[in-house]
Amino acid sequence: MTPQDFIAKWRAVELKERSAAQSHFNDLCRLLGLEDPTTADPRGDWFAFEKGAAKTSGGEGWADVWRKDCFAWEYKGRHRDLDAAFRQLLNYAVALENPPLLIASDMDRIVIRTHWTNTVQRETTLALDDLRDAAKRDLLRAAFTDPERWKPQKTRQSLTEDAAGRFINLAQRLRDRGHAPQRVAHFVNRLVFCMFAEDVGLLPDRLFMAMLEAARPDPAAFEGHARTLFAAMRSGGLVGFQRVDWFNGGLFDDDEALPLERADVGDLIAAARLDWSQIDPSILGTLFERGLDPAKRSQLGAHYTDRDKIMKSREPGRRRAGCWPSGAEARAGIEAALAREKAAK
């Protein structure tokens, strides 16, 4: 099947998911020069349609297509929510031997998410017209024949070190300007908390990033904007036209912010652009111990615990957690929010 034939056929199809999925996948195999599941593996031992799997949430389900050590693939009808398909795949992943790729598709697009342990998740979308491109077809073929080509090179730890390095540089510059270590530590950890909180939707509409971008041409404006935000996070309120909920705990016990210069704002914008859902809070704490003036560590109150201790120390029923890093419960709250967000993707 040529790319032109495939695109013309599937652009016109209006069948529902159940009627079209296997036919679409078989045509895709022909397009890529591969055998379809029934031809390649008549017994369904390693390549199969409707592969049964126990859900991690309980009960039974099935992946629309499964190829051992390569992928689990879920179809949805045209214009349906592919994030829902990924949530289904995550439910099946353990029973399907944790395939390295999770793929969701309708008749117009194929979305591929990497699923290796301790790597930064990568998402790639191939639209129907992208299949005209031989290089993109070759990349899709690798999902079947050489999934290692899809493996991200950056680990969660290296991403975390990148983020921490930017904050360590910021903290050093602030100390060099004469700010007390205690104030620097408190301020920097507020900024880190805001990045995690924004990533999981606890701060609305990319509010923190917008604040940073507004300070790029005028760094002196940052301090006032940050005070407004921190005051709202302490007790709830408006920042511009955006409603910000209150965050309990000691991290936002006042609205103090430190003045920033152009290089500081640049580092924060670069850090905010990272995928904070992939950054490990427990590793970040260790890096801050090394970076925020180890000689002053006892004054900073920088008490960090490992992931297991954090999770054991969680206290249920707290509406918003905001006392990180001195409180393990607050960091656990952020970590739990990140886990919920990741599971929902």
Side-chain angles (χ1 to χ4, degrees):
M1 177 173 269
T2 68
Q4 292 75 16
D5 291 340
F6 182 90
I7 292 167
K9 175 178 177 177
W10 288 102
R11 179 163 283 142
V13 168
E14 296 184 5
L15 296 172
K16 293 185 177 180
E17 167 200 343
R18 186 172 294 276
S19 303
Q22 292 190 14
S23 179
H24 180 274
F25 191 84
N26 286 337
D27 279 355
L28 190 62
C29 288
R30 283 192 282 274
L31 172 65
L32 299 175
L34 301 168
E35 291 184 329
D36 62 75
T38 305
T39 303
D41 180 18
R43 295 177 53 182
D45 292 332
W46 56 272
F47 192 16
F49 288 118
E50 298 191 1
K51 178 67 175 179
K55 299 179 183 179
T56 55
S57 58
E60 297 292 324
W62 58 86
D64 287 334
V65 195
W66 169 75
R67 188 175 174 103
K68 182 179 173 64
D69 297 328
C70 293
F71 59 73
W73 193 307
E74 190 72 23
Y75 274 91
K76 291 292 179 187
R78 183 171 268 125
H79 308 308
R80 297 290 296 276
D81 180 11
L82 292 187
D83 283 341
F86 282 113
R87 288 193 290 273
Q88 288 177 248
L89 291 172
L90 285 170
N91 249 330
Y92 307 149
V94 173
L96 296 174
E97 304 175 48
N98 279 314
L101 299 173
L102 302 179
I103 304 177
S105 176
D106 57 17
M107 306 309 132
D108 293 323
R109 60 202 159 127
I110 300 168
V111 182
I112 302 162
R113 290 182 183 173
T114 60
H115 189 57
W116 275 271
T117 301
N118 193 36
T119 63
V120 176
Q121 186 181 79
R122 191 176 105 201
E123 179 176 299
T124 302
T125 299
L126 298 175
L128 194 56
D129 283 325
D130 288 332
L131 297 176
R132 300 180 192 276
D133 186 331
K136 291 180 179 178
R137 293 197 306 275
D138 186 56
L139 185 61
L140 181 57
R141 187 181 297 109
F144 293 72
T145 62
D146 185 18
E148 286 290 318
R149 278 184 57 186
W150 285 87
K151 187 172 184 178
Q153 297 305 304
K154 196 159 199 172
T155 65
R156 289 189 71 197
Q157 181 166 346
S158 64
L159 184 68
T160 300
E161 289 172 350
D162 185 1
R166 294 182 184 280
F167 283 104
I168 288 167
N169 291 339
L170 171 62
Q172 185 62 58
R173 288 194 296 267
L174 291 171
R175 290 198 307 271
D176 290 346
R177 291 176 208 149
H179 297 293
Q182 297 94 330
R183 296 178 67 202
V184 170
H186 201 58
F187 176 60
V188 166
N189 281 286
R190 283 179 170 179
L191 299 177
V192 174
F193 185 95
C194 286
M195 293 190 185
F196 276 114
E198 183 167 80
D199 193 82
V200 298
L202 299 181
L203 289 177
D205 295 334
R206 309 301 291 169
L207 179 63
F208 189 66
M209 175 60 95
M211 186 178 77
L212 293 173
E213 292 285 4
R216 188 198 291 271
D218 182 16
F222 177 86
E223 184 179 1
H225 294 324
R227 283 182 176 275
T228 300
L229 175 62
F230 295 162
M233 294 175 78
R234 181 183 70 236
S235 56
L238 290 174
V239 177
F241 294 101
Q242 299 289 344
R243 168 67 59 181
V244 174
D245 288 336
W246 66 279
F247 290 71
N248 62 21
L251 188 55
F252 297 98
D253 50 1
D254 58 41
D255 66 354
E256 183 183 48
L258 299 181
L260 297 184
E261 297 180 358
R262 192 172 303 277
D264 307 329
V265 174
D267 265 345
L268 289 176
I269 289 173
R273 285 176 175 161
L274 299 174
D275 183 355
W276 282 77
S277 70
Q278 301 294 315
I279 292 174
D280 188 336
S282 63
I283 298 173
L284 196 56
T286 302
L287 292 168
F288 275 121
E289 284 184 8
R290 295 206 304 261
L292 289 178
D293 196 358
K296 302 287 187 181
R297 182 180 167 195
S298 61
Q299 295 180 29
L300 300 179
H303 173 66
Y304 298 100
T305 55
D306 62 38
R307 179 183 294 268
D308 290 339
K309 290 179 182 176
I310 289 170
M311 299 313 292
K312 287 178 182 176
S313 69
R314 289 180 61 193
E315 298 176 20
R318 302 293 289 273
R319 180 165 175 262
R320 290 284 190 266
C323 52
W324 182 43
S326 59
E329 178 258 337
R331 283 175 52 214
I334 284 291
E335 190 167 59
L338 286 168
R340 288 193 298 272
E341 177 72 7
K342 186 174 182 180
K345 288 183 178 178

